[in-house]
Structure formats: C-alpha cells, structure tokens
Amino acid sequence: MPASDTRKQPETNGNDARYPGPGDFVKLLNWHLNRGTRPDGDPERVGEIWDNKRFANAVGASDKTVRNWRAGRNPPQSLVAVEQELFGANPKYERWRADLRTAFAGESLDGDEPKSNFPRPTASFLGRDEDLAKILTALAGEGAEVALLLQGGPGIGKTTLTQVAAWDEAVVKRFGARRWFVKLETARTAAALQDAVTRAVGADPRSGFAATLEALKRAPGLLVLDNLETPWDTVGERQATEAILAELATVPGLALMASIRGRDRVGGAAWSLVLPVEQLRPPHDRDLFCRIGGEAFAEDPHLQDLLKALAGIPLAIKLVATRAHGRDALAPLWAEWQRIGAALAASRDLPADRLTSLPFSVALSLTSERLDETALRLFRLLGQLPAGLCDEDRAALLGAESFAAEEALLGVGLAIEQGGRLDLLPPIRDIAQRRHRPEGEDAEAWPSYFLRLTKDLGEVIGTTQDRGSVARLVPELPNIEAAVREMLASDRRNEVMAALPGLCRLTYLASLPTPVLMEMSAARRNGSDILGEANCIEGLGDIALTRSDHDGARSAFEEAQLLYRQVGDIHGEANCICSLGEIALARSDHHGARAAYEEAQALYRQVGDIHGAANCIKGLGDIAVRRSDHDGARVAYEEAQPLYREVGSIHGEANCIKGLGNIALRRSNHDGARAAFEEAQALYRQVGDLLGAANCIKGLGDIALERSDHDGARSVYEEAQALYRQVGDLLGAANCIKGLGDIALRRSDHDGARAAYEEAQPLFRQVGSVLGEANCIKGLGDIALRRSNHNGARVAYEEAQPLFRQVGSILGEANCIKGLGDIALRRSDHDGARAAYEEAQPLYRQVGSILGEANCIKGLGDIALACSDHDGARTAYEEALLLYRKIDALDEIAGCQEKLKLLQDRVVE
C-alpha cells in the first residue's frame, strides 16, 4: 500500500495500544504454529486487528479467507500481499515487517531452534528405504551443487518421498528452517514458477527473481519443486522453465530437489541423481495396507486380490485401505472393487484432487500437453488389453505415429514397459477400460485384429508353415480373450467362430487354460449354432486332456460327438472318437483305445483326412509300446511319420520320433533313444509344445537313470517336472516324482524313495494310470527288499504283477518276477530264485531290456556263488558284465567287477 494511503497505520513498533506489539504480532500471524489460537495480551491491544472482519479489511482478504488462515487451512503462500496492505512502503514499520517474515518462515524471535514451514509427510510412509538412502546420500554431498530429480507415474509417492527426505534428522540439522516446499500444481508458466519460488522463500516478487536468487545464496538451503511437470509441460514454456532450473541448480549451497510425472529427460540442471520412483513391491504393499486399514486384515483371504488390483501404487493402497478401516472383512470392499474398479480409490469425504482420488490424478496426467490425440488413442486401446501391446501390434493398430504415442505415454508416466511390451498398471488400466474406451474405427479394429491374428497363426501351429506361432500368440492370449468377449458382446459371432480353430489349436498345444471357450460355447448355444457349440466343447476337451483331467475331457468329447453327429459332421465326430482313444490309452485301457483309434481312422479315411488317419496310426503305435510290442510299435510309427510329413505336420512327426525313442529306451539302446528324444524335443519347441518337450526331457532322465548317472537324472527330472506343472499335466509330473524315487532307491535313500512313491501313487490313481500305480507299488516292494522286509516285498510284487499284466506291460511283469527271485535268493531258496530269474530273463529279452536280462544273469551268478559253483558264477558275472557295459550301467558294472575280483582272490587263496 502506498504511504499516502488514508488507511490507519501503526505509528511505532508496538507502542500504539490499538495494534499488537512485535511479539504478539508474530503470534497473531504465525498461522502454521498457532492454528488459530488467540494470542495472549491485552484484548484491547490486539482485539482490533484480531477481529476477522477488521483484519480481513486490513490485508485485503475476505472474512472467510482469514477464518481459514486462523484455522490452519490454506495459509497464504507468501506475505507479499499481507505486507503491502498492512505496511505499505512506510520505512517506520520495517521492524514489524521483519518480525512478520521471521514468524512466517517459522523462525523464533527468542533464540529457539529454527523451525520450517515445510510440510511433514504422512505417518504411512514405508518401503522406500533404498530410494531414501540414495536421496540422503546425494543431499549429504559437500562442495558441488546438488540437484535431484524424482520421476514416476501418478500416485506413485514422489511428493511423500521428498517430504520424508526433507525431514530427515541430518537434513534438518544441515538446512534448518531454510527448507522450502514449492507447490507448482497451478504454476503453468515459467513466470509462475519464479513467483512460486519467490513467495515460498519469503522474498519480494517486486524485486525480481535475481533478488530471490541472492536470498537463496545467503546460507545453505533445500528447495523442493513439487509437480514440476506443470510449467515444464506447457507449450512454449519448457525452455524458459529449464533456464530457471539452470539458475537454481547453480546457486552455491542450494540443494535442489524436484518431482515430475513421467520419465522424460528434463534439461536445465546437471542432475546429480535421477531417481525413478516405482510401485511398492511385496511385502511393503501389504504392510502399507495393514498399517492404514488394520493389522487384522493381514490374513484376510481377499487381501491378495486387492493388492494385485492396486498394483503397488501407494496412493491407491492408502485410499482403499482407509475405506477398509473399521471393517470386519475385506469381502465387501473387494466386491465393490469388482463393481466399480479404481473409482474405489478415492476419498469418501474430501473433494477430488491428485492426493485424494486416483482417477482424478490419472485424469490430471491425461491433460498433459505432451499427449496428442494418437497418444490418447493408444491409452484407450491399452485399457482394453490386459496383456499390453508388443511393438508389432501397436504399429498395426496405430500406424507410423504409434512409436511417438508410446513415447508420450511413457513420458508422462501413464504407461510402463515390462517384458518388452507397453502396458498400464492394473488400476490405471481399469480407469482406462471403464472411462476411456476406444472411439470410432478403433472400437471395431482392435478386436478384429486380434481374432484375425489368432486365425491366421493358430491354424498353422505345428505345421511346416509355422514360424513360431505359439511363441507369438501365447503372450497375446489375454488380449485374444478380451477380443472374443468384446465381439460376443457386440453380437459379432461369426468373426469369433472364424478364429475358433486357431484358438483351440493354440490352447491345446500350449496347454493353456481358456475359460472364454466356455463363454463362446454358451453364446453359440444361445444362437442355435450347433456346429459352433460342438467346436467350443471339443476345444475344452482338448485342454482338459492335456491337463490329465480325463473325466472332464471324456465328458466334453462325448457331448461334442453327439452334436457333430446331429449336424452330420463326420470329421468332428472322428476327432472326438480319436481323443476318447487317447483317454483310454492314458488310463491303460488298451482294448478301448484300439477300438477308438480304428473307428476314428475309418472315418478320417472316409473324409480324406490324412492327418487324422496318421494320428490314429500313431496312437496304435503307442498302444503297442505299452504292451511291449516294440516291433509292432515301430511299424506303426514308421507308417505314420511319412503321412505327417506329407501334410506338413511337424508336431505329428515329432510324436513319431519320440515314440521311436521310447522303443529304443525300452531296448536299452540309449544312444538311439537320446538321439530320438533330442530330435523330437527340438521339433516340439519349434512349434511351442511344452508338453511334448517335457516328455522328451523326462525320457533323457530315464536314460541317465539307466546309466547310473543319478545327478544327471535328478536334474533332468526336475526340469521336466517344472514343465509338466506349468502345463498342468499330472501324469507327467507323477512320472517325474516316481523317477526321483527310483534315484533315491539306487542311492539307498529308502526314506526319500518311499516318500516319492507315496506322493506319486495317488496322482497316478487320480488320472487313472494303472501302469504308473503299479510301478509305485513295485518300487515300494524294492524298498522293502532292500530293508530285508521280505514279506512286505513279496506282498508288493504280488500286488503289482497282475496290474502290469492287466495293461500288457511285459517289462513290469518281468520286474516283479525278478523281484520275487531276489527275495528267494535272500532267503537261500536257490531253486525258487533260479526259477524266477529263468522265468523273467526271456521276458526281458522279449522286450529288449538289456538291463533286466543282465540283472537276471547276475542273479544266477549270485546263486552259483552261494552254492560254491565258482566257475558257474564267473561265467554268469562275465556274461552280465558284457551286457552292463553295452548300456553303460556304471553301478552294475562295478558290482560285477567286485564279484569277479572276489572269485579271483579265492582262486589265489
């Protein structure tokens, strides 16, 4: 106010009774400390200016504004207007002006410790120890100027992190009250940035920014620029904003810290630390939720659901946890999240702003001038795509401008990169999905694109035309399912059904669960499309079959078969019958499997489907292998293999090669088996069939076990088991567990072997594998024999033997007979032992098991040795040794050599 103003002004520094003295004046205007408390002193002395209306009139503010100041709400950002109204330019009041500035800065007139008006962080800060340590280390640097930049998306906690750092004990000790927090949320220009800094530090804007810089040089200080993106984003203001940063960054003794949304490079300052602030990781997200909502929720079954949905965004966690406070359970909150999504991440009571509402905070980012219309289109598309976008799909959907759009979304912090894909964090995706749906052509283009991709790539999976279709499509499956649902919702069923064959082939070979097939089936049923419904149900059966859910698969195939028959689709009916044959084979129902394959083969030949016929021939080969008819199996595989090659089926050819490997393994042709498994594995991986690859790996483990390479076998079984679990194949996982039991048995770890067999046996029973269950029972018999529990061993062998005979496993039956011979030998029943070994030996020879045959010959040698028939024993051991060497059975080789040495020592004696 000019000195000539008629408004009454104080005549002296505190001597005029109508005005408070300096001490009372400090108390009166120190809103941060007083929180509206009436200052002490003579009421007459302070009453005039303490009165809301008179004081409002004195400072040129409204009565409501003054009431808010007194209550500690929205205090003025600077004292410039207040000083002008109260004191004008009158030099007589310079002492009062100085007292007022001192009070506003939080400094005591009585020599107390300096205080700062820097806002304190919330008490719920946690999980940022590493980030905080980096900031504090940088702020502790001496000498060179310090400039720190914190970057991240909306609600990620950048502001809180700056506040925690500013209130660190070492920072407070170093900078005292010279710590300033500058809010830039509304500062849209470089000039506004200068004004906000000037007012925050208590300087006079009329003196220019140079005076502010001089004030900052007086002593070390910490200046925090919050929401720097506001002026930096504004068109035409970036260069000027960075020029101001350059000036601030070179002020001696000033530590500059700024927070900005996004990850774009900010110029102007030579940033000594650029810190990307990311979402909270477990268990910190859980700890934050429970600290705010209540520790009782730590064991709530829906806590993990909410945490996954909140994706570690601190603002979202705080807001939802606040709404959870006082509740008994999280179920209602989770149900509401599923209904309204991220709208739940907002305060119930406070007006929406960037600190009280995640949707508001996201909307604020969407107003950034860094985002053009293409970037907003990309944001809308990402909201519909739960798996994000790879570069190829992004370019296909948005064209040449898509890369710039991606850069813009990353720049403002709305999008993230993970696994080579552009994506949104789940709460932000939810906001985009619900509030920012694609418009115009984009709305129809994106689901059509993903279904066309599924059709084109899915139908060639496993063929010579396949160029990595599974690897390309598997990451897109969530997007494909979203596209299917979008199409069904808009009644575009024909496009959905066109993609069905490719989708079924993808989910079958990659062993992927896809509930959307059930939704497609229901949609087709409602539309009276019997063929489409049958196709969906068959696809569900394929998935159940790969996961060893034989009951579910059987039900699906039988239902689909009836529908195919109803519409006269012979090919579809043949597919179902062939698949029912696979179930019968998995359950060791060889007669049922053979009947199904032969029936399906006839139908395939009727419609000229070479691929389907080859599948049936290959299935007959699998039956022959299980029945130890190795010659018959070889004939079947060698008949099917060229048929697969004729139609370009890499997958079918791989199945035949693997089958030939199984024959070689059963005949102890380890080199041939290894070559076959490795060749087939490469083909399976080429077409993305994890289950086929796992089967080959498990076969390599069987080879290692037969060669007594126990460490190698264990490693391979564990690798295969992980793949089986990944694709949900219980039968494969059970076989690996049983294999680990075999290793433990070979190493005399009887407890470990028993645990493995007992773990695998119910899995085999669950999937109906009689052969697997028989192998486990036989393994338990081997343990009993090793522990000299002859009765227990006999019971086990006699229980397993008819099971092996039931499924036609000559090898398994021979193993039981040989085990009974071992019991007889242990009991010195030499005649009984001899009879058993001589019965088992030709069975082993019949199936080509060199190891089994050698074990019988060695057993005959043990009988001869026990009967002091040294020549007979020597002959038997030498014959067995030759066989063991043929298959590299190291443990058995060592055993025979030890027996031969014993015989040699006896001759010398």
Side-chain angles (χ1 to χ4, degrees):
M1 170 180 281
S4 60
D5 194 292
T6 58
R7 182 177 299 169
K8 187 176 291 185
Q9 299 293 330
E11 297 295 333
T12 63
N13 291 337
N15 295 325
D16 191 324
R18 292 171 300 172
Y19 288 88
D24 289 330
F25 198 70
V26 167
K27 293 179 181 178
L28 179 64
L29 296 181
N30 189 356
W31 299 281
H32 179 66
L33 297 178
N34 283 339
R35 297 290 181 186
T37 301
R38 183 185 179 93
D40 297 331
D42 184 352
E44 237 176 61
R45 195 173 181 204
V46 301
E48 179 178 342
I49 201 166
W50 184 245
D51 178 80
N52 283 332
K53 295 186 180 298
R54 296 188 184 189
F55 184 65
N57 180 63
V59 301
S62 70
D63 179 37
K64 180 179 179 181
T65 297
V66 175
R67 286 201 306 272
N68 284 336
W69 290 355
R70 291 178 58 192
R73 295 190 297 269
N74 303 319
Q77 292 294 304
S78 76
L79 295 180
V80 175
V82 176
E83 290 179 12
Q84 178 67 15
E85 292 296 335
L86 288 176
F87 310 124
N90 192 330
K92 291 183 179 181
Y93 311 124
E94 197 59 37
R95 168 69 189 279
W96 280 30
R97 188 191 304 274
D99 288 350
L100 177 59
R101 289 180 180 177
T102 300
F104 190 77
E107 299 177 3
S108 171
L109 294 176
D110 303 319
D112 295 337
E113 286 296 317
K115 297 178 181 177
S116 171
N117 70 335
F118 203 102
R120 286 188 176 273
T122 64
S124 57
F125 176 84
L126 51 77
R128 302 287 193 196
D129 293 348
E130 187 175 334
D131 290 341
L132 183 60
K134 291 178 181 178
I135 295 173
L136 296 179
T137 298
L139 291 178
E142 298 289 345
E145 293 79 8
V146 176
L148 316 179
L149 182 66
L150 278 61
Q151 298 183 308
I156 211 68
K158 303 179 295 295
T159 296
T160 302
L161 189 54
T162 63
Q163 293 171 347
V164 171
W167 280 100
D168 180 79
E169 183 178 354
V171 174
V172 173
K173 183 176 181 180
R174 179 177 182 185
F175 299 113
R178 291 179 63 81
R179 291 173 292 130
W180 304 285
F181 186 80
V182 186
K183 295 182 178 179
L184 300 177
E185 193 171 334
T186 59
R188 301 193 59 80
T189 65
L193 167 61
Q194 287 182 327
D195 184 70
V197 172
T198 298
R199 294 175 182 277
V201 302
D204 187 350
R206 294 173 301 177
S207 300
F209 195 61
T212 301
L213 295 175
E214 288 300 317
L216 291 171
K217 293 178 182 178
R218 293 173 188 164
L222 170 64
L223 183 69
V224 175
L225 305 179
D226 191 50
N227 288 107
L228 177 61
E229 72 275 358
T230 307
W232 190 79
D233 257 358
T234 305
V235 174
E237 297 293 325
R238 181 167 300 180
Q239 188 172 356
T241 298
E242 292 184 348
I244 296 170
L245 294 174
E247 290 183 293
L248 292 170
T250 55
V251 171
L254 180 67
L256 176 65
M257 182 159 50
S259 65
I260 188 169
R261 290 191 179 203
R263 70 171 197 179
D264 278 335
R265 183 184 182 278
V266 179
W271 304 105
S272 48
L273 174 65
V274 177
L275 182 66
V277 182
E278 299 179 346
Q279 62 264 42
L280 286 178
R281 305 294 181 185
H284 302 304
D285 55 347
R286 170 193 170 280
D287 294 342
L288 178 59
F289 190 100
C290 292
R291 176 179 292 186
I292 297 171
E295 291 296 332
F297 292 131
E299 303 301 325
D300 191 287
H302 291 294
L303 177 59
Q304 286 306 315
D305 295 327
L306 280 169
L307 292 179
K308 183 179 180 181
L310 297 169
I313 299 179
L315 176 62
I317 295 173
K318 292 176 183 178
L319 292 170
V320 174
T322 299
R323 301 183 77 152
H325 182 77
R327 287 185 173 273
D328 294 332
L330 295 178
L333 212 64
W334 174 238
E336 187 67 0
W337 178 278
Q338 292 174 298
R339 188 179 74 85
I340 68 173
L344 193 66
S347 172
R348 292 174 301 178
D349 306 316
L350 299 176
D353 62 27
R354 67 183 183 88
L355 299 179
T356 63
S357 167
L358 182 66
F360 183 95
S361 187
V362 170
L364 192 64
S365 292
L366 288 171
T367 64
S368 171
E369 296 184 17
R370 284 179 273 175
L371 300 180
D372 62 10
E373 178 54 30
T374 306
L376 293 174
R377 286 175 61 201
L378 179 55
F379 179 76
R380 297 181 194 116
L381 286 173
L382 287 170
Q384 313 309 308
L385 301 173
L389 274 172
C390 67
D391 293 346
E392 180 181 341
D393 295 340
R394 182 206 67 213
L397 289 169
L398 291 176
E401 298 177 350
S402 68
F403 180 76
E406 174 181 300
E407 283 191 312
L409 288 181
L410 292 170
V412 300
L414 282 172
I416 60 173
E417 287 180 300
Q418 55 183 8
R421 303 173 69 85
L422 185 71
D423 204 353
L424 304 178
L425 289 175
I428 297 178
R429 185 190 306 120
D430 181 86
I431 292 170
Q433 197 275 332
R434 294 172 187 267
R435 304 186 181 199
H436 304 276
R437 297 186 64 80
E439 302 171 350
E441 293 182 359
D442 287 343
E444 295 187 0
W446 76 265
S448 294
Y449 171 80
F450 280 102
L451 291 187
R452 187 168 59 252
L453 190 72
T454 305
K455 179 183 186 301
D456 294 345
L457 297 183
E459 290 181 1
V460 301
I461 289 174
T463 72
T464 53
Q465 301 175 34
D466 189 348
R467 297 294 182 269
S469 297
V470 170
R472 175 69 173 88
L473 289 176
V474 165
E476 307 303 333
L477 185 59
N479 293 341
I480 294 168
E481 292 184 323
V484 168
R485 293 185 176 107
E486 182 72 14
M487 289 291 203
L488 292 178
S490 57
D491 203 26
R492 295 161 67 185
R493 300 180 182 182
N494 290 337
E495 291 182 67
V496 172
M497 296 313 297
L500 179 60
L503 179 60
C504 288
R505 190 153 185 81
L506 167 67
T507 53
Y508 172 66
L509 284 185
S511 301
L512 297 170
T514 176
V516 78
L517 281 176
M518 186 67 77
E519 298 170 36
M520 293 168 68
S521 173
R524 303 315 293 182
R525 186 181 297 116
N526 293 338
S528 300
D529 182 352
I530 297 175
L531 180 60
E533 184 183 351
N535 288 333
C536 292
I537 295 171
E538 182 192 350
L540 291 169
D542 289 336
I543 295 169
L545 181 57
T546 63
R547 303 178 75 84
S548 301
D549 177 11
H550 296 155
D551 291 336
R554 178 186 296 278
S555 175
F557 292 135
E558 289 176 346
E559 182 180 358
Q561 183 184 357
L562 292 176
L563 294 175
Y564 283 128
R565 187 175 293 147
Q566 182 177 338
V567 297
D569 188 325
I570 296 174
H571 185 265
E573 187 177 355
N575 285 338
C576 292
I577 296 170
C578 183
S579 296
L580 290 170
E582 292 186 46
I583 296 172
L585 178 61
R587 290 179 172 265
S588 303
D589 176 9
H590 298 158
H591 178 74
R594 177 178 295 279
Y597 288 141
E598 289 176 347
E599 180 183 359
Q601 186 180 359
L603 294 177
Y604 282 130
R605 293 194 184 280
Q606 181 179 335
V607 297
D609 183 355
I610 297 174
H611 186 270
N615 284 337
C616 293
I617 296 168
K618 178 260 175 189
L620 293 171
D622 293 337
I623 296 172
V625 169
R626 300 289 183 86
R627 289 183 168 272
S628 303
D629 177 9
H630 298 155
D631 292 335
R634 178 180 295 279
V635 169
Y637 293 142
E638 291 178 346
E639 180 184 354
Q641 191 173 356
L643 295 179
Y644 283 127
R645 194 175 291 125
E646 179 182 343
V647 297
S649 174
I650 296 174
H651 185 260
E653 189 173 356
N655 285 334
C656 290
I657 295 170
K658 178 180 72 70
L660 293 171
N662 287 331
I663 295 172
L665 176 60
R666 282 167 171 75
R667 288 183 163 175
S668 300
N669 177 9
H670 296 156
D671 291 337
R674 178 181 297 279
F677 289 145
E678 290 177 346
E679 181 182 358
Q681 185 184 355
L683 294 177
Y684 284 130
R685 290 197 180 277
Q686 180 180 333
V687 300
D689 184 354
L690 294 182
L691 179 58
N695 287 332
C696 292
I697 294 169
K698 189 261 178 188
L700 293 172
D702 294 337
I703 294 171
L705 180 60
E706 286 201 9
R707 287 185 164 180
S708 302
D709 177 9
H710 299 157
D711 290 336
R714 175 179 294 278
S715 175
V716 173
Y717 285 144
E718 289 175 347
E719 179 184 357
Q721 186 179 0
L723 286 178
Y724 284 129
R725 293 196 183 281
Q726 181 178 337
V727 301
D729 182 39
L730 292 180
L731 179 60
N735 280 325
C736 288
I737 295 168
K738 183 259 177 189
L740 293 172
D742 293 339
I743 295 171
L745 181 61
R746 298 285 186 92
R747 288 182 161 177
S748 299
D749 176 10
H750 299 155
D751 291 337
R754 176 179 294 278
Y757 294 143
E758 290 178 346
E759 180 183 357
Q761 188 177 354
L763 296 179
F764 284 125
R765 189 178 295 123
Q766 181 178 340
V767 299
S769 174
V770 177
L771 178 62
E773 188 174 358
N775 280 327
C776 289
I777 295 170
K778 183 259 178 190
L780 294 170
D782 293 338
I783 296 171
L785 179 61
R786 300 287 183 87
R787 288 181 161 176
S788 300
N789 178 7
H790 298 156
N791 289 332
R794 177 179 295 278
V795 168
Y797 293 144
E798 291 178 346
E799 180 183 355
Q801 188 177 355
L803 296 178
F804 285 125
R805 191 177 293 123
Q806 174 185 333
V807 297
S809 175
I810 297 174
L811 178 61
E813 187 176 358
N815 285 333
C816 290
I817 296 169
K818 186 258 179 189
L820 292 170
D822 293 337
I823 295 172
L825 179 60
R826 299 284 185 90
R827 288 181 163 178
S828 300
D829 177 7
H830 297 153
D831 292 338
R834 180 183 300 278
Y837 293 145
E838 290 178 346
E839 180 183 359
Q841 188 178 355
L843 295 179
Y844 283 126
R845 191 177 294 122
Q846 178 181 339
V847 298
S849 174
I850 295 175
L851 178 62
E853 184 179 359
N855 286 334
C856 289
I857 295 170
K858 174 185 171 292
L860 293 171
D862 292 337
I863 295 171
L865 181 60
C867 293
S868 300
D869 178 6
H870 295 167
D871 290 338
R874 181 180 293 107
T875 300
Y877 291 143
E878 288 175 347
E879 183 181 355
L881 183 59
L882 289 175
L883 294 176
Y884 285 137
R885 281 179 172 156
K886 187 181 293 188
I887 60 174
D888 293 330
L890 301 181
D891 289 348
E892 287 76 7
I893 290 171
C896 278
Q897 289 174 333
E898 184 179 347
K899 292 294 180 67
L900 288 169
K901 185 177 183 302
L902 176 63
L903 288 170
Q904 182 64 34
D905 290 343
R906 290 187 180 182
V907 170
V908 172
E909 292 175 358

